[in-house]
Amino acid sequence: AATQELTAYTLLQPTSPDARLKLGTAHLRARRLDEAERRFREVLDLQPRHPQALNNLGVLHWQRRNAREAYNYFNLTLVHHPNYGPALYNMAVFQQQSLNNRPAALKHYRQYLAAQPKAEDAPAVDALARALDAELNPPALVLRPVPATPGGTSGGTAAGLVDGGEGVLAAADPLHALLIVKVPERGG
């Protein structure tokens, strides 16, 4: 019913992209991809750099499992509208899920949060970005020589936690022990 009303409205407003965009979005949600694509292209005929139409074509091609076209449309949206939140978010998810390019995904999540700091989903996206950042940048481990102690371990066994649990003492023999220590994160 809604698509019929929007179709009638597009006939009454031949130069308005709004109804075509809404109609295309309704078709996209209903997974009528050919009809959705037709409407988004009509929007682009009227406004060639329309951000929502470009972004929605990216979503449409992603649903069709056409990764190259999806990427191209998300990228084209961001070329013309670098701070367009939906395209930044879609590019981040696309990079992470379809291309397994986690560094690029993290970059786009951060750009999304900078462009949309008060978005309803900002806390969830921030948590996702932090988790991805922790995965990509684990705390560094540093090897420090540990002086041998009289009566130290024998037979090359590990001595367990030392210094209040800061690290693990590993030893091939008591004279060549190393303390493996986590380095605190910057700013933490």
Side-chain angles (χ1 to χ4, degrees):
T3 55
Q4 290 173 343
E5 290 175 20
L6 287 169
T7 301
Y9 181 72
T10 60
L11 295 173
L12 297 172
Q13 302 288 325
T15 60
S16 171
D18 294 336
R20 285 168 174 72
L21 185 64
K22 289 177 183 175
L23 183 56
T25 302
H27 285 302
L28 182 62
R29 287 185 179 140
R31 304 207 35 97
R32 292 188 295 270
L33 301 182
D34 291 340
E35 201 51 40
E37 182 174 15
R38 188 173 118 208
R39 298 306 176 178
F40 296 141
R41 291 196 184 285
E42 288 174 357
V43 172
L44 294 176
D45 287 343
L46 297 168
Q47 292 181 4
R49 295 181 177 176
H50 194 285
Q52 195 172 351
L54 290 168
N55 181 64
N56 285 354
L57 281 167
V59 172
L60 182 145
H61 283 287
W62 195 5
Q63 287 183 4
R64 286 182 172 161
R65 302 195 189 291
N66 186 343
R68 178 174 293 172
E69 285 299 307
Y71 176 86
N72 287 341
Y73 277 106
F74 293 143
N75 191 55
L76 186 59
T77 306
L78 295 173
V79 164
H80 296 299
H81 309 277
N83 293 317
Y84 184 63
L88 287 166
Y89 180 79
N90 287 337
M91 182 63 97
V93 174
F94 178 80
Q95 291 278 358
Q96 187 175 6
Q97 292 180 359
S98 293
L99 302 180
N100 196 29
N101 187 343
R102 296 173 308 168
L106 180 59
K107 176 186 120 185
H108 286 99
Y109 284 130
R110 287 180 174 158
Q111 288 175 330
Y112 171 78
L113 290 167
Q116 307 283 318
K118 296 184 186 205
E120 188 176 312
D121 64 349
V125 174
D126 184 55
L128 181 62
R130 287 177 186 270
L132 189 56
D133 186 41
E135 182 182 321
L136 291 171
N137 301 299
L141 296 180
V142 175
L143 301 180
R144 294 185 186 155
V146 176
T149 57
T153 61
S154 62
T157 60
L161 294 176
V162 294
D163 292 356
E166 290 180 10
V168 176
L169 181 64
D173 62 62
L175 297 176
H176 298 94
L178 293 175
L179 178 64
I180 303 172
V181 181
K182 273 189 170 181
V183 175
E185 294 181 28
R186 291 183 187 170

